[in-house]
Amino acid sequence: MSRRPVPQVGGTPSRALLPTLALLTTITAVVSSLGAPLVPSVATAYDVRLGTAQWSLTAALLAGAVATPVVGRFASGRLRRPTILVGLGVVTLGTVVSAVSAALEQGFGVLVAGRALQGVGMALLPLAIAVARDALAHERQDRAIALLSVTTVAGAGLGYPVTALVAQLGGLGAAYALGTAMTGLTWLLAWRHLPGGPDETPARVDWWGALLLSAAMLAVLLAVSEGEVWGWGSPRTLGLAAAGLAGLVVWVRVTLRSPSPLVDLRLATRQGVAAPNLVAAVAGLGMYALLTLVVVLVRADEPGFGLDRSVLVAGLILVPYSLMSVLGNQLARVVRRRLGPRWLLPTGCSMFLAATLGLGLFHDHLWQALLAMALGGAGSGFTFSSLAVLMVPHVPRAETGSAVAFNQVLRYLGFTVGSALSVALVAAYGGGDGGFTAALLTLTAVWVVAGVGAVLLDRTTSPPQAR
């Protein structure tokens, strides 16, 4: 059998290229976020507390945060296409591992390991954006970048009800088996339609920097997620938190001095890039805190708190979020065209703030949660579709992958912290309805920081250079 020739960047792109890229980012988002509506079910199946079960989500987010800069540098040049294919293979392996563990309801550590492998898929979004920038013409390029940026949000929201339904009908193992089928199909389409990358030597990967970043983040997240059990003032909690923060400081210092850093921190503070990076980190934290807590609300059955609904309803609660994120993407394009780009980030943050505040104050009925999710989804689509579009004009073509990858790292770090911090805040405030409300009211502060920071940083932004 003759080998199919690989399409190359610079030639006429396949009509199926953009749908393939969109499917790639959507499916990897679905698989990477499989943990959110399933966390209470994981806690029950493995007989672990909710905060521990949350690691079935946090592990994927942490792996995505660390894998993104590593994959982004390793996949530069001619290795981009094979890296995407190998990455999808790793995700598929992760779904198989988790499916087996969940079907047997044994080996919580094995389940978490499989979820970490699935998180590698989150590193493929910057590569998809780099393919779109190289292969598509200017007008199609802007639309493609905005579309790919929002598919990660829409994919998570649309995937929640599907996986929740499968989990309710066939158990946890069936939900992860569905992920195997979806990523397998995506791999076939990527193999068929993805073009090869430019013939350039791949960049050097700072493996020690990746290891240091992983260890530092893991220490901080362990302190946050397990502080309730160990005691917030215990030597173990304080020691891990201090070690993790010290590790992050060391990582920043080493990165700034390295001739080939894992991520280019100087590029992150460039005019036109700093504001999207700030909002990516804060919006990631606030988004996953909101998604995590609404699932907790829907599944909880405590005196005076919780809606006591099934895992399927917990999945369906996020359908408005997903649908409105697509509408938010379209609304952002209208606002950008008519009012200019400076209104994008503050407006998106304001929508998120209203959703978080509304859910914190009004959560006695299912329709209130649905309304909060719809508003949050609009803010999510509005915000995340704007980030790459705002950044790319200020970044040289050769540095697109690095800049977008770092923005993704900040977003995924925000996802990871938000996932762990939200549950910890509820517990720290005493749990129940009071803890839930106090946690969400506290989280509204992050949107104030993001909105005000975006306005202040945008004042120093120069007009974008022509590409």
Side-chain angles (χ1 to χ4, degrees), residues 293-343:
L293 290 183
V294 77
V295 172
V296 170
L297 169 70
V298 172
R299 297 296 307 277
D301 179 21
E302 302 176 16
F305 173 68
L307 301 178
D308 189 21
R309 302 301 179 95
S310 67
V311 64
L312 175 58
V313 176
L316 291 173
I317 196 72
L318 299 175
V319 171
Y321 186 94
S322 179
L323 296 178
M324 291 300 291
S325 69
V326 177
L327 180 61
N329 174 31
Q330 300 300 317
L331 181 60
R333 291 174 56 190
V334 174
V335 170
R336 184 185 180 214
R337 183 170 62 249
R338 296 187 178 181
L339 301 179
R342 292 190 174 185
W343 287 92

mmCIF file of all heavy atoms in Angstrom, residues 293-343:
data_model
loop_
_atom_site.group_PDB
_atom_site.id
_atom_site.type_symbol
_atom_site.label_atom_id
_atom_site.label_comp_id
_atom_site.label_asym_id
_atom_site.label_seq_id
_atom_site.Cartn_x
_atom_site.Cartn_y
_atom_site.Cartn_z
ATOM 1 N N LEU A 293 -18.118 24.709 41.358
ATOM 2 C CA LEU A 293 -19.077 24.950 42.431
ATOM 3 C C LEU A 293 -20.515 24.752 41.982
ATOM 4 O O LEU A 293 -21.367 24.367 42.784
ATOM 5 C CB LEU A 293 -18.875 26.358 43.008
ATOM 6 C CG LEU A 293 -17.571 26.538 43.802
ATOM 7 C CD1 LEU A 293 -17.486 27.940 44.391
ATOM 8 C CD2 LEU A 293 -17.469 25.499 44.906
ATOM 9 N N VAL A 294 -20.833 25.006 40.726
ATOM 10 C CA VAL A 294 -22.208 24.777 40.285
ATOM 11 C C VAL A 294 -22.511 23.281 40.273
ATOM 12 O O VAL A 294 -23.640 22.858 40.588
ATOM 13 C CB VAL A 294 -22.475 25.422 38.910
ATOM 14 C CG1 VAL A 294 -21.880 24.599 37.777
ATOM 15 C CG2 VAL A 294 -23.973 25.607 38.698
ATOM 16 N N VAL A 295 -21.509 22.452 39.954
ATOM 17 C CA VAL A 295 -21.702 21.002 40.021
ATOM 18 C C VAL A 295 -21.891 20.556 41.466
ATOM 19 O O VAL A 295 -22.739 19.711 41.772
ATOM 20 C CB VAL A 295 -20.514 20.271 39.370
ATOM 21 C CG1 VAL A 295 -20.610 18.761 39.616
ATOM 22 C CG2 VAL A 295 -20.470 20.551 37.873
ATOM 23 N N VAL A 296 -21.092 21.134 42.377
ATOM 24 C CA VAL A 296 -21.253 20.837 43.803
ATOM 25 C C VAL A 296 -22.666 21.191 44.262
ATOM 26 O O VAL A 296 -23.322 20.423 44.977
ATOM 27 C CB VAL A 296 -20.205 21.600 44.632
ATOM 28 C CG1 VAL A 296 -20.522 21.498 46.132
ATOM 29 C CG2 VAL A 296 -18.808 21.067 44.353
ATOM 30 N N LEU A 297 -23.147 22.361 43.844
ATOM 31 C CA LEU A 297 -24.495 22.801 44.221
ATOM 32 C C LEU A 297 -25.559 21.825 43.717
ATOM 33 O O LEU A 297 -26.461 21.425 44.470
ATOM 34 C CB LEU A 297 -24.759 24.194 43.644
ATOM 35 C CG LEU A 297 -26.207 24.696 43.730
ATOM 36 C CD1 LEU A 297 -26.585 24.995 45.173
ATOM 37 C CD2 LEU A 297 -26.398 25.936 42.849
ATOM 38 N N VAL A 298 -25.475 21.433 42.468
ATOM 39 C CA VAL A 298 -26.502 20.591 41.869
ATOM 40 C C VAL A 298 -26.514 19.195 42.496
ATOM 41 O O VAL A 298 -27.577 18.619 42.721
ATOM 42 C CB VAL A 298 -26.279 20.496 40.345
ATOM 43 C CG1 VAL A 298 -27.221 19.475 39.722
ATOM 44 C CG2 VAL A 298 -26.507 21.861 39.698
ATOM 45 N N ARG A 299 -25.341 18.654 42.830
ATOM 46 C CA ARG A 299 -25.275 17.299 43.373
ATOM 47 C C ARG A 299 -25.485 17.238 44.881
ATOM 48 O O ARG A 299 -25.832 16.174 45.408
ATOM 49 C CB ARG A 299 -23.912 16.673 43.041
ATOM 50 C CG ARG A 299 -23.629 16.491 41.568
ATOM 51 C CD ARG A 299 -24.572 15.531 40.876
ATOM 52 N NE ARG A 299 -24.670 14.244 41.531
ATOM 53 C CZ ARG A 299 -23.810 13.232 41.374
ATOM 54 N NH1 ARG A 299 -22.788 13.393 40.534
ATOM 55 N NH2 ARG A 299 -23.978 12.095 41.992
ATOM 56 N N ALA A 300 -25.251 18.360 45.608
ATOM 57 C CA ALA A 300 -25.275 18.336 47.079
ATOM 58 C C ALA A 300 -26.675 18.054 47.617
ATOM 59 O O ALA A 300 -27.687 18.467 47.040
ATOM 60 C CB ALA A 300 -24.758 19.659 47.628
ATOM 61 N N ASP A 301 -26.702 17.360 48.743
ATOM 62 C CA ASP A 301 -27.956 17.072 49.455
ATOM 63 C C ASP A 301 -27.682 17.211 50.950
ATOM 64 O O ASP A 301 -27.548 16.220 51.676
ATOM 65 C CB ASP A 301 -28.456 15.666 49.119
ATOM 66 C CG ASP A 301 -29.749 15.325 49.852
ATOM 67 O OD1 ASP A 301 -30.448 16.256 50.273
ATOM 68 O OD2 ASP A 301 -30.036 14.124 50.004
ATOM 69 N N GLU A 302 -27.556 18.444 51.397
ATOM 70 C CA GLU A 302 -27.290 18.745 52.797
ATOM 71 C C GLU A 302 -28.450 19.558 53.354
ATOM 72 O O GLU A 302 -29.184 20.205 52.598
ATOM 73 C CB GLU A 302 -25.979 19.534 52.935
ATOM 74 C CG GLU A 302 -24.758 18.828 52.356
ATOM 75 C CD GLU A 302 -23.518 19.696 52.440
ATOM 76 O OE1 GLU A 302 -23.534 20.679 53.201
ATOM 77 O OE2 GLU A 302 -22.533 19.388 51.739
ATOM 78 N N PRO A 303 -28.644 19.533 54.657
ATOM 79 C CA PRO A 303 -29.713 20.350 55.257
ATOM 80 C C PRO A 303 -29.538 21.829 54.906
ATOM 81 O O PRO A 303 -28.526 22.439 55.237
ATOM 82 C CB PRO A 303 -29.536 20.108 56.759
ATOM 83 C CG PRO A 303 -28.867 18.771 56.847
ATOM 84 C CD PRO A 303 -27.956 18.707 55.654
ATOM 85 N N GLY A 304 -30.509 22.367 54.189
ATOM 86 C CA GLY A 304 -30.471 23.772 53.828
ATOM 87 C C GLY A 304 -29.575 24.122 52.665
ATOM 88 O O GLY A 304 -29.407 25.301 52.333
ATOM 89 N N PHE A 305 -28.984 23.121 52.013
ATOM 90 C CA PHE A 305 -28.093 23.431 50.891
ATOM 91 C C PHE A 305 -28.097 22.287 49.888
ATOM 92 O O PHE A 305 -28.057 21.109 50.258
ATOM 93 C CB PHE A 305 -26.668 23.661 51.378
ATOM 94 C CG PHE A 305 -25.663 23.808 50.265
ATOM 95 C CD1 PHE A 305 -25.698 24.915 49.428
ATOM 96 C CD2 PHE A 305 -24.708 22.832 50.033
ATOM 97 C CE1 PHE A 305 -24.785 25.055 48.387
ATOM 98 C CE2 PHE A 305 -23.786 22.966 49.001
ATOM 99 C CZ PHE A 305 -23.839 24.086 48.185
ATOM 100 N N GLY A 306 -28.110 22.640 48.613
ATOM 101 C CA GLY A 306 -27.996 21.657 47.543
ATOM 102 C C GLY A 306 -29.312 21.398 46.854
ATOM 103 O O GLY A 306 -30.386 21.531 47.436
ATOM 104 N N LEU A 307 -29.228 21.015 45.569
ATOM 105 C CA LEU A 307 -30.413 20.738 44.771
ATOM 106 C C LEU A 307 -30.682 19.241 44.629
ATOM 107 O O LEU A 307 -31.718 18.857 44.086
ATOM 108 C CB LEU A 307 -30.250 21.371 43.381
ATOM 109 C CG LEU A 307 -30.036 22.900 43.388
ATOM 110 C CD1 LEU A 307 -29.844 23.411 41.964
ATOM 111 C CD2 LEU A 307 -31.193 23.613 44.060
ATOM 112 N N ASP A 308 -29.736 18.393 45.076
ATOM 113 C CA ASP A 308 -29.922 16.936 45.111
ATOM 114 C C ASP A 308 -30.389 16.396 43.761
ATOM 115 O O ASP A 308 -31.407 15.726 43.655
ATOM 116 C CB ASP A 308 -30.924 16.560 46.211
ATOM 117 C CG ASP A 308 -30.985 15.041 46.424
ATOM 118 O OD1 ASP A 308 -30.015 14.360 46.050
ATOM 119 O OD2 ASP A 308 -32.016 14.556 46.942
ATOM 120 N N ARG A 309 -29.611 16.681 42.715
ATOM 121 C CA ARG A 309 -29.938 16.184 41.373
ATOM 122 C C ARG A 309 -28.898 15.155 40.938
ATOM 123 O O ARG A 309 -27.806 15.058 41.502
ATOM 124 C CB ARG A 309 -30.011 17.334 40.372
ATOM 125 C CG ARG A 309 -31.024 18.411 40.728
ATOM 126 C CD ARG A 309 -32.437 17.861 40.830
ATOM 127 N NE ARG A 309 -33.405 18.886 41.203
ATOM 128 C CZ ARG A 309 -34.140 19.572 40.348
ATOM 129 N NH1 ARG A 309 -34.012 19.343 39.045
ATOM 130 N NH2 ARG A 309 -35.003 20.475 40.776
ATOM 131 N N SER A 310 -29.216 14.430 39.867
ATOM 132 C CA SER A 310 -28.361 13.342 39.383
ATOM 133 C C SER A 310 -27.147 13.882 38.632
ATOM 134 O O SER A 310 -27.056 15.073 38.309
ATOM 135 C CB SER A 310 -29.165 12.434 38.453
ATOM 136 O OG SER A 310 -29.497 13.139 37.265
ATOM 137 N N VAL A 311 -26.209 12.961 38.315
ATOM 138 C CA VAL A 311 -25.033 13.336 37.544
ATOM 139 C C VAL A 311 -25.425 13.834 36.158
ATOM 140 O O VAL A 311 -24.758 14.698 35.565
ATOM 141 C CB VAL A 311 -24.049 12.144 37.448
ATOM 142 C CG1 VAL A 311 -24.669 10.988 36.688
ATOM 143 C CG2 VAL A 311 -22.734 12.555 36.801
ATOM 144 N N LEU A 312 -26.531 13.303 35.614
ATOM 145 C CA LEU A 312 -26.991 13.765 34.304
ATOM 146 C C LEU A 312 -27.417 15.229 34.372
ATOM 147 O O LEU A 312 -27.066 16.019 33.488
ATOM 148 C CB LEU A 312 -28.157 12.903 33.827
ATOM 149 C CG LEU A 312 -28.815 13.342 32.514
ATOM 150 C CD1 LEU A 312 -27.791 13.362 31.389
ATOM 151 C CD2 LEU A 312 -29.984 12.424 32.160
ATOM 152 N N VAL A 313 -28.156 15.606 35.405
ATOM 153 C CA VAL A 313 -28.559 17.010 35.557
ATOM 154 C C VAL A 313 -27.336 17.887 35.769
ATOM 155 O O VAL A 313 -27.265 19.011 35.259
ATOM 156 C CB VAL A 313 -29.560 17.158 36.721
ATOM 157 C CG1 VAL A 313 -29.909 18.624 36.956
ATOM 158 C CG2 VAL A 313 -30.822 16.354 36.453
ATOM 159 N N ALA A 314 -26.341 17.374 36.507
ATOM 160 C CA ALA A 314 -25.102 18.134 36.705
ATOM 161 C C ALA A 314 -24.409 18.406 35.381
ATOM 162 O O ALA A 314 -23.782 19.455 35.196
ATOM 163 C CB ALA A 314 -24.170 17.379 37.646
ATOM 164 N N GLY A 315 -24.515 17.456 34.442
ATOM 165 C CA GLY A 315 -23.957 17.688 33.115
ATOM 166 C C GLY A 315 -24.789 18.661 32.314
ATOM 167 O O GLY A 315 -24.270 19.560 31.652
ATOM 168 N N LEU A 316 -26.111 18.493 32.375
ATOM 169 C CA LEU A 316 -27.005 19.360 31.603
ATOM 170 C C LEU A 316 -26.962 20.805 32.083
ATOM 171 O O LEU A 316 -27.256 21.723 31.307
ATOM 172 C CB LEU A 316 -28.435 18.826 31.692
ATOM 173 C CG LEU A 316 -28.711 17.497 30.977
ATOM 174 C CD1 LEU A 316 -30.111 16.999 31.275
ATOM 175 C CD2 LEU A 316 -28.512 17.661 29.474
ATOM 176 N N ILE A 317 -26.608 21.017 33.340
ATOM 177 C CA ILE A 317 -26.583 22.378 33.881
ATOM 178 C C ILE A 317 -25.577 23.244 33.132
ATOM 179 O O ILE A 317 -25.679 24.473 33.105
ATOM 180 C CB ILE A 317 -26.236 22.355 35.388
ATOM 181 C CG1 ILE A 317 -26.590 23.685 36.060
ATOM 182 C CG2 ILE A 317 -24.764 22.083 35.617
ATOM 183 C CD1 ILE A 317 -28.047 23.916 36.230
ATOM 184 N N LEU A 318 -24.616 22.576 32.458
ATOM 185 C CA LEU A 318 -23.574 23.327 31.767
ATOM 186 C C LEU A 318 -23.835 23.480 30.271
ATOM 187 O O LEU A 318 -23.031 24.078 29.566
ATOM 188 C CB LEU A 318 -22.217 22.655 31.991
ATOM 189 C CG LEU A 318 -21.794 22.600 33.466
ATOM 190 C CD1 LEU A 318 -20.515 21.808 33.625
ATOM 191 C CD2 LEU A 318 -21.614 23.996 34.031
ATOM 192 N N VAL A 319 -24.969 22.968 29.793
ATOM 193 C CA VAL A 319 -25.322 23.174 28.384
ATOM 194 C C VAL A 319 -25.514 24.657 28.064
ATOM 195 O O VAL A 319 -24.985 25.149 27.054
ATOM 196 C CB VAL A 319 -26.576 22.363 28.015
ATOM 197 C CG1 VAL A 319 -27.067 22.741 26.625
ATOM 198 C CG2 VAL A 319 -26.275 20.875 28.066
ATOM 199 N N PRO A 320 -26.251 25.425 28.893
ATOM 200 C CA PRO A 320 -26.353 26.865 28.605
ATOM 201 C C PRO A 320 -24.999 27.551 28.576
ATOM 202 O O PRO A 320 -24.781 28.480 27.786
ATOM 203 C CB PRO A 320 -27.221 27.394 29.753
ATOM 204 C CG PRO A 320 -27.957 26.217 30.255
ATOM 205 C CD PRO A 320 -27.051 25.053 30.070
ATOM 206 N N TYR A 321 -24.098 27.091 29.422
ATOM 207 C CA TYR A 321 -22.746 27.668 29.445
ATOM 208 C C TYR A 321 -22.068 27.477 28.090
ATOM 209 O O TYR A 321 -21.489 28.418 27.532
ATOM 210 C CB TYR A 321 -21.933 27.000 30.550
ATOM 211 C CG TYR A 321 -20.567 27.612 30.774
ATOM 212 C CD1 TYR A 321 -20.387 28.598 31.733
ATOM 213 C CD2 TYR A 321 -19.468 27.213 30.024
ATOM 214 C CE1 TYR A 321 -19.145 29.169 31.934
ATOM 215 C CE2 TYR A 321 -18.231 27.779 30.213
ATOM 216 C CZ TYR A 321 -18.074 28.752 31.171
ATOM 217 O OH TYR A 321 -16.842 29.323 31.357
ATOM 218 N N SER A 322 -22.137 26.271 27.573
ATOM 219 C CA SER A 322 -21.483 25.966 26.309
ATOM 220 C C SER A 322 -22.119 26.720 25.142
ATOM 221 O O SER A 322 -21.430 27.329 24.318
ATOM 222 C CB SER A 322 -21.534 24.465 26.052
ATOM 223 O OG SER A 322 -20.929 24.146 24.832
ATOM 224 N N LEU A 323 -23.448 26.690 25.069
ATOM 225 C CA LEU A 323 -24.137 27.348 23.966
ATOM 226 C C LEU A 323 -23.899 28.852 23.985
ATOM 227 O O LEU A 323 -23.652 29.477 22.939
ATOM 228 C CB LEU A 323 -25.633 27.048 24.036
ATOM 229 C CG LEU A 323 -26.033 25.575 23.852
ATOM 230 C CD1 LEU A 323 -27.538 25.408 24.003
ATOM 231 C CD2 LEU A 323 -25.574 25.060 22.492
ATOM 232 N N MET A 324 -23.946 29.450 25.156
ATOM 233 C CA MET A 324 -23.744 30.891 25.254
ATOM 234 C C MET A 324 -22.287 31.285 25.027
ATOM 235 O O MET A 324 -22.008 32.424 24.646
ATOM 236 C CB MET A 324 -24.220 31.392 26.612
ATOM 237 C CG MET A 324 -25.738 31.339 26.798
ATOM 238 S SD MET A 324 -26.626 32.352 25.582
ATOM 239 C CE MET A 324 -26.151 34.003 26.120
ATOM 240 N N SER A 325 -21.358 30.352 25.232
ATOM 241 C CA SER A 325 -19.962 30.678 24.930
ATOM 242 C C SER A 325 -19.769 30.880 23.436
ATOM 243 O O SER A 325 -18.981 31.728 22.999
ATOM 244 C CB SER A 325 -19.037 29.570 25.444
ATOM 245 O OG SER A 325 -19.198 28.380 24.696
ATOM 246 N N VAL A 326 -20.501 30.111 22.626
ATOM 247 C CA VAL A 326 -20.442 30.304 21.173
ATOM 248 C C VAL A 326 -21.040 31.652 20.804
ATOM 249 O O VAL A 326 -20.498 32.397 19.970
ATOM 250 C CB VAL A 326 -21.183 29.162 20.457
ATOM 251 C CG1 VAL A 326 -21.184 29.392 18.947
ATOM 252 C CG2 VAL A 326 -20.546 27.821 20.786
ATOM 253 N N LEU A 327 -22.165 32.012 21.427
ATOM 254 C CA LEU A 327 -22.770 33.319 21.181
ATOM 255 C C LEU A 327 -21.855 34.439 21.652
ATOM 256 O O LEU A 327 -21.748 35.490 21.000
ATOM 257 C CB LEU A 327 -24.126 33.409 21.899
ATOM 258 C CG LEU A 327 -24.883 34.732 21.745
ATOM 259 C CD1 LEU A 327 -25.214 34.991 20.279
ATOM 260 C CD2 LEU A 327 -26.168 34.716 22.576
ATOM 261 N N GLY A 328 -21.183 34.217 22.776
ATOM 262 C CA GLY A 328 -20.238 35.217 23.275
ATOM 263 C C GLY A 328 -19.111 35.470 22.300
ATOM 264 O O GLY A 328 -18.645 36.604 22.138
ATOM 265 N N ASN A 329 -18.655 34.422 21.614
ATOM 266 C CA ASN A 329 -17.622 34.565 20.588
ATOM 267 C C ASN A 329 -18.109 35.479 19.469
ATOM 268 O O ASN A 329 -17.392 36.389 19.020
ATOM 269 C CB ASN A 329 -17.264 33.187 20.044
ATOM 270 C CG ASN A 329 -16.312 33.242 18.865
ATOM 271 O OD1 ASN A 329 -15.486 34.130 18.769
ATOM 272 N ND2 ASN A 329 -16.451 32.297 17.952
ATOM 273 N N GLN A 330 -19.353 35.285 19.007
ATOM 274 C CA GLN A 330 -19.899 36.122 17.942
ATOM 275 C C GLN A 330 -20.095 37.561 18.423
ATOM 276 O O GLN A 330 -19.839 38.521 17.685
ATOM 277 C CB GLN A 330 -21.245 35.543 17.474
ATOM 278 C CG GLN A 330 -21.150 34.125 16.917
ATOM 279 C CD GLN A 330 -20.215 34.035 15.713
ATOM 280 O OE1 GLN A 330 -20.239 34.892 14.835
ATOM 281 N NE2 GLN A 330 -19.394 33.001 15.683
ATOM 282 N N LEU A 331 -20.547 37.706 19.660
ATOM 283 C CA LEU A 331 -20.746 39.044 20.212
ATOM 284 C C LEU A 331 -19.429 39.796 20.321
ATOM 285 O O LEU A 331 -19.367 41.007 20.061
ATOM 286 C CB LEU A 331 -21.412 38.936 21.593
ATOM 287 C CG LEU A 331 -21.710 40.256 22.315
ATOM 288 C CD1 LEU A 331 -22.654 41.120 21.484
ATOM 289 C CD2 LEU A 331 -22.312 39.978 23.695
ATOM 290 N N ALA A 332 -18.370 39.093 20.670
ATOM 291 C CA ALA A 332 -17.057 39.731 20.766
ATOM 292 C C ALA A 332 -16.609 40.276 19.417
ATOM 293 O O ALA A 332 -15.999 41.354 19.337
ATOM 294 C CB ALA A 332 -16.035 38.730 21.305
ATOM 295 N N ARG A 333 -16.895 39.556 18.350
ATOM 296 C CA ARG A 333 -16.528 40.028 17.009
ATOM 297 C C ARG A 333 -17.274 41.313 16.668
ATOM 298 O O ARG A 333 -16.695 42.253 16.102
ATOM 299 C CB ARG A 333 -16.840 38.949 15.975
ATOM 300 C CG ARG A 333 -15.953 37.717 16.072
ATOM 301 C CD ARG A 333 -16.402 36.632 15.116
ATOM 302 N NE ARG A 333 -16.464 37.110 13.741
ATOM 303 C CZ ARG A 333 -17.011 36.426 12.749
ATOM 304 N NH1 ARG A 333 -17.557 35.234 12.993
ATOM 305 N NH2 ARG A 333 -17.020 36.916 11.531
ATOM 306 N N VAL A 334 -18.558 41.383 17.052
ATOM 307 C CA VAL A 334 -19.344 42.596 16.784
ATOM 308 C C VAL A 334 -18.799 43.773 17.582
ATOM 309 O O VAL A 334 -18.626 44.877 17.045
ATOM 310 C CB VAL A 334 -20.830 42.352 17.127
ATOM 311 C CG1 VAL A 334 -21.618 43.649 17.004
ATOM 312 C CG2 VAL A 334 -21.411 41.275 16.219
ATOM 313 N N VAL A 335 -18.513 43.552 18.855
ATOM 314 C CA VAL A 335 -17.996 44.627 19.702
ATOM 315 C C VAL A 335 -16.639 45.099 19.201
ATOM 316 O O VAL A 335 -16.361 46.305 19.149
ATOM 317 C CB VAL A 335 -17.896 44.145 21.166
ATOM 318 C CG1 VAL A 335 -17.139 45.162 22.020
ATOM 319 C CG2 VAL A 335 -19.294 43.910 21.735
ATOM 320 N N ARG A 336 -15.800 44.167 18.807
ATOM 321 C CA ARG A 336 -14.471 44.547 18.312
ATOM 322 C C ARG A 336 -14.570 45.383 17.045
ATOM 323 O O ARG A 336 -13.828 46.348 16.865
ATOM 324 C CB ARG A 336 -13.656 43.283 18.051
ATOM 325 C CG ARG A 336 -12.221 43.576 17.617
ATOM 326 C CD ARG A 336 -11.505 42.294 17.260
ATOM 327 N NE ARG A 336 -10.135 42.565 16.851
ATOM 328 C CZ ARG A 336 -9.486 41.880 15.934
ATOM 329 N NH1 ARG A 336 -10.101 40.864 15.323
ATOM 330 N NH2 ARG A 336 -8.252 42.169 15.616
ATOM 331 N N ARG A 337 -15.502 45.023 16.175
ATOM 332 C CA ARG A 337 -15.636 45.736 14.912
ATOM 333 C C ARG A 337 -16.231 47.133 15.102
ATOM 334 O O ARG A 337 -15.806 48.090 14.448
ATOM 335 C CB ARG A 337 -16.500 44.915 13.951
ATOM 336 C CG ARG A 337 -16.640 45.528 12.573
ATOM 337 C CD ARG A 337 -17.300 44.576 11.600
ATOM 338 N NE ARG A 337 -18.651 44.228 12.012
ATOM 339 C CZ ARG A 337 -19.008 43.025 12.434
ATOM 340 N NH1 ARG A 337 -18.101 42.064 12.536
ATOM 341 N NH2 ARG A 337 -20.258 42.766 12.775
ATOM 342 N N ARG A 338 -17.180 47.263 16.022
ATOM 343 C CA ARG A 338 -17.900 48.534 16.170
ATOM 344 C C ARG A 338 -17.314 49.458 17.230
ATOM 345 O O ARG A 338 -17.365 50.681 17.090
ATOM 346 C CB ARG A 338 -19.366 48.258 16.478
ATOM 347 C CG ARG A 338 -20.104 47.535 15.346
ATOM 348 C CD ARG A 338 -21.582 47.427 15.624
ATOM 349 N NE ARG A 338 -22.295 46.784 14.522
ATOM 350 C CZ ARG A 338 -23.604 46.580 14.487
ATOM 351 N NH1 ARG A 338 -24.355 46.974 15.518
ATOM 352 N NH2 ARG A 338 -24.164 45.990 13.444
ATOM 353 N N LEU A 339 -16.792 48.892 18.305
ATOM 354 C CA LEU A 339 -16.315 49.725 19.406
ATOM 355 C C LEU A 339 -14.806 49.694 19.590
ATOM 356 O O LEU A 339 -14.256 50.517 20.327
ATOM 357 C CB LEU A 339 -16.992 49.292 20.726
ATOM 358 C CG LEU A 339 -18.521 49.369 20.755
ATOM 359 C CD1 LEU A 339 -19.035 48.883 22.100
ATOM 360 C CD2 LEU A 339 -19.006 50.792 20.474
ATOM 361 N N GLY A 340 -14.147 48.731 18.964
ATOM 362 C CA GLY A 340 -12.707 48.629 19.101
ATOM 363 C C GLY A 340 -12.306 47.554 20.097
ATOM 364 O O GLY A 340 -13.108 47.129 20.940
ATOM 365 N N PRO A 341 -11.045 47.118 20.062
ATOM 366 C CA PRO A 341 -10.606 45.987 20.888
ATOM 367 C C PRO A 341 -10.515 46.282 22.372
ATOM 368 O O PRO A 341 -10.512 45.366 23.190
ATOM 369 C CB PRO A 341 -9.227 45.653 20.306
ATOM 370 C CG PRO A 341 -8.757 46.934 19.681
ATOM 371 C CD PRO A 341 -9.980 47.599 19.155
ATOM 372 N N ARG A 342 -10.420 47.564 22.765
ATOM 373 C CA ARG A 342 -10.208 47.863 24.183
ATOM 374 C C ARG A 342 -11.390 47.513 25.062
ATOM 375 O O ARG A 342 -11.261 47.425 26.287
ATOM 376 C CB ARG A 342 -9.865 49.350 24.348
ATOM 377 C CG ARG A 342 -8.510 49.715 23.768
ATOM 378 C CD ARG A 342 -8.073 51.098 24.150
ATOM 379 N NE ARG A 342 -6.708 51.361 23.700
ATOM 380 C CZ ARG A 342 -6.016 52.453 23.972
ATOM 381 N NH1 ARG A 342 -6.594 53.413 24.702
ATOM 382 N NH2 ARG A 342 -4.797 52.611 23.544
ATOM 383 N N TRP A 343 -12.556 47.326 24.456
ATOM 384 C CA TRP A 343 -13.740 46.992 25.243
ATOM 385 C C TRP A 343 -13.872 45.494 25.489
ATOM 386 O O TRP A 343 -14.702 45.063 26.307
ATOM 387 C CB TRP A 343 -14.997 47.485 24.521
ATOM 388 C CG TRP A 343 -15.170 48.963 24.572
ATOM 389 C CD1 TRP A 343 -14.722 49.874 23.660
ATOM 390 C CD2 TRP A 343 -15.827 49.721 25.587
ATOM 391 N NE1 TRP A 343 -15.050 51.152 24.036
ATOM 392 C CE2 TRP A 343 -15.736 51.088 25.225
ATOM 393 C CE3 TRP A 343 -16.480 49.380 26.775
ATOM 394 C CZ2 TRP A 343 -16.268 52.101 25.997
ATOM 395 C CZ3 TRP A 343 -17.016 50.398 27.554
ATOM 396 C CH2 TRP A 343 -16.907 51.739 27.167
#
